Amino acid sequence: MVKIIECPRDAMQGMETFVPTQKKTDYINHLLQVGFDTIDFGSFVSPKAIPQMKDTIEVLKSLELTDTRSKLLAIVANVRGAQDASEFKEITYLGFPLSVSETFQQRNTNKSIEQAMDTLAEIQDICQKQDKILVTYLSMGFGNPYGDPYDESVVEEFVDKLVAMEVKIISLADTIGVSNSRNITNLFTSLVPRFPQIEFGAHLHSNPNGAMEKIESAYLAGCKRFDGAIRGFGGCPMAKDDLVGNIATETIIHFFNQKKVNLKLDMEAFDASLRASMEVFH
């Protein structure tokens, strides 16, 4: 079964103009009607780091969750954030950005990779005690612009460590759009058969022209979990100045429609979400 994770949090977090809380809530409530597997809706991080997400708790309290099959995911960057997020029964997943690039780990969470691994172990312990599921994003999973060491074996070493922590979901994150069909194919073809107990995801960034090829490469190599953002907005403000947006959710849907894969989405609700996105991203 293919899972689509819609990421309004990622789409909004780099916007300079603050999106009013009610507008965020209204938009996410539209998304909750579509039938996505998961909505990456907010983050429990310092408002100094990501001011756009300072109202995550207020947004959460106003979400209409009684008539949706979508689960909620919140991003956390430290133990305090994980503790806070785990207090909300409405949240199923806690997502943690672990970078295979030392430079980016410092820029994104003010930690070394070694420190981040220690934090991740503590967050996993919180998840297991609080009945949450940890999703680990391997940022810079397809390369980095900093000259930090990278090849497929580096990613595999990280996966080995996460498996030892009993992490069940690992999403390979592009972050800056450096992925291509070759390295996508190579990584998923290597990892998926080797770790059948792991649910691997693809959190890819791309310009529109390369998006379909990237989706196809990941899918044919065994990936069944795809992150996207409506209209392709988003990008990590901690990465570098030139943000490359998320792959547009409509592109992901179009690809799987071509492949005759039934995503079980309410397309009328999706079209309403597309229209609603114009009120948020303009």
Side-chain angles (χ1 to χ4, degrees):
M1 180 181 70
V2 173
K3 296 181 180 180
I4 307 298
I5 288 67
E6 176 63 25
C7 302
R9 183 272 317 167
D10 200 358
M12 294 182 204
Q13 68 177 4
M15 295 173 64
E16 293 183 4
T17 301
F18 184 74
V19 178
T21 301
Q22 188 61 52
K23 189 171 286 189
K24 286 190 181 88
T25 300
D26 291 344
Y27 180 52
I28 296 172
N29 278 330
H30 277 290
L31 298 174
L32 286 166
Q33 296 305 307
V34 178
F36 297 114
D37 180 84
T38 303
I39 307 292
D40 175 354
F41 83 100
S43 59
F44 287 74
V45 299
S46 167
K48 293 180 181 179
I50 308 290
Q52 188 66 250
M53 295 291 106
K54 65 184 180 181
D55 58 350
T56 286
I57 293 176
E58 287 78 12
V59 169
L60 177 60
K61 290 179 178 178
S62 298
L63 295 181
E64 299 168 2
L65 300 171
T66 56
D67 188 29
T68 180
R69 66 183 181 90
S70 298
K71 298 173 284 292
L72 295 181
L73 181 150
I75 296 295
V76 300
N78 55 36
V79 171
R80 171 67 183 275
Q83 290 170 333
D84 291 345
S86 68
E87 294 297 317
F88 294 92
K89 66 181 187 304
E90 299 90 346
I91 297 174
T92 299
Y93 300 108
L94 303 188
F96 182 83
L98 176 68
S99 180
V100 302
S101 156
E102 185 70 46
T103 302
F104 185 63
Q105 190 70 62
Q106 293 281 2
R107 293 182 64 163
N108 199 32
T109 63
N110 293 316
K111 294 180 175 70
S112 67
I113 289 175
E114 183 178 0
Q115 291 170 323
M117 293 294 293
D118 291 340
T119 298
L120 186 65
E122 292 185 69
I123 293 173
Q124 172 70 327
D125 184 59
I126 292 169
C127 286
Q128 291 174 332
K129 289 179 179 177
Q130 298 294 329
D131 197 29
K132 305 299 182 188
I133 300 171
L134 176 62
V135 178
T136 303
Y137 296 89
L138 286 183
S139 303
M140 299 291 167
F142 298 91
N144 65 79
Y146 312 117
D148 292 340
Y150 176 84
D151 59 31
E152 291 163 26
S153 67
V154 171
V155 179
E156 291 176 354
E157 288 174 8
F158 273 82
V159 173
D160 279 326
K161 293 175 182 177
L162 296 177
V163 169
M165 288 186 197
E166 300 182 347
V167 173
K168 301 299 184 185
I169 303 176
I170 300 172
S171 191
L172 304 182
D174 189 354
T175 317
I176 54 168
V178 299
S179 63
N180 55 59
S181 60
R182 181 177 179 180
N183 60 18
I184 291 171
T185 298
N186 288 347
L187 267 180
F188 283 107
T189 300
S190 170
L191 294 172
V192 172
R194 183 179 168 193
F195 301 100
Q197 75 276 37
I198 300 296
E199 179 181 326
F200 284 103
H203 184 102
L204 304 175
H205 290 201
S206 179
N207 62 48
N209 291 336
M212 288 283 279
E213 184 179 5
K214 292 184 180 186
I215 298 164
E216 181 173 42
S217 297
Y219 177 63
L220 294 180
C223 179
K224 299 293 190 296
R225 178 187 176 96
F226 292 84
D227 288 14
I230 283 178
R231 297 175 63 208
F233 283 101
C236 181
M238 304 299 183
K240 59 179 196 174
D241 293 334
D242 298 327
L243 296 183
V244 180
N246 290 284
I247 286 184
T249 307
E250 53 269 35
T251 302
I252 298 174
I253 292 173
H254 178 62
F255 170 80
F256 285 110
N257 284 341
Q258 287 186 327
K259 293 292 184 181
K260 308 298 183 185
V261 175
N262 183 5
L263 299 174
K264 299 180 181 179
L265 302 180
D266 182 332
M267 293 310 296
E268 287 188 10
F270 181 72
D271 289 341
S273 296
L274 274 173
R275 293 190 295 271
S277 72
M278 301 295 289
E279 298 296 319
V280 178
F281 309 102
H282 52 74

